[in-house]
Amino acid sequence: MSNYLLKTMRVVASAALIAASVLALPAAQAQPSGITRTDLQRHDLSIPGREVVQVRVDFAPGAAFGRHSHPGEEIVNVLEGTLEYEIEGKPPVTLKAGDVLFIPAGTVHAAKNVGSVSGSELATYIVEKGKPLLTLKK
């Protein structure tokens, strides 16, 4: 390989690493203490401009994820523990393992582990491609 090609490859690789770090920064900042998000899968849908994203969210006892919204629908399946969801305009709802919840697109909501043990959910998002998965609200 020529020196020019090697230098070009190094510059491209460095730029990719910097871009990945910058893109990961907002997600890291949005993650509160006691919350662990594990990305499971992301796939394009047959509907143009839409994708499905699945994430496992683990909550330490007492941990809360503040008010936020998504650019599409969220389907929650509680895997373990007791989680309370506050959905704008509705009374809070408490769910246990096996319970499910539908959150309409753009709806502001929050979640908290109200139990004394760890809690977790499988969150499935049907969202617009190219938009941030999560927008924090005040």
Side-chain angles (χ1 to χ4, degrees):
M1 264 190 229
S2 71
N3 265 351
Y4 175 77
L5 185 55
L6 284 173
K7 287 180 183 177
T8 301
M9 288 173 61
R10 283 189 197 124
V11 169
V12 169
S14 296
L17 286 173
I18 291 169
S21 298
V22 169
L23 292 173
L25 189 59
Q29 290 174 339
Q31 191 157 294
S33 177
I35 304 284
T36 303
R37 293 175 56 93
T38 304
D39 292 341
L40 301 174
Q41 63 177 329
R42 179 183 296 254
H43 295 284
D44 290 343
L45 294 174
S46 59
I47 303 164
R50 305 292 274 183
E51 66 182 342
V52 62
V53 179
Q54 281 194 314
V55 176
R56 179 184 171 118
V57 184
D58 294 294
F59 295 77
F65 203 105
R67 293 168 37 86
H68 64 281
S69 66
H70 307 284
E73 292 78 11
E74 178 180 5
I75 301 154
V76 174
N77 182 346
V78 177
L79 302 173
E80 61 185 343
T82 305
L83 303 176
E84 180 182 84
Y85 296 86
E86 294 182 11
I87 299 174
E88 193 168 66
K90 296 184 177 185
V93 60
T94 302
L95 304 178
K96 295 183 186 287
D99 291 338
V100 295
L101 179 66
F102 178 82
I103 302 171
T107 301
V108 176
H109 59 286
K112 180 179 183 179
N113 182 350
V114 294
S116 58
V117 298
S118 294
S120 63
E121 69 175 24
L122 173 65
T124 302
Y125 307 98
I126 310 289
V127 293
E128 293 180 54
K129 273 188 85 160
K131 290 197 173 182
L133 185 59
L134 178 107
T135 302
L136 294 176
K137 304 293 180 179
K138 294 195 178 206

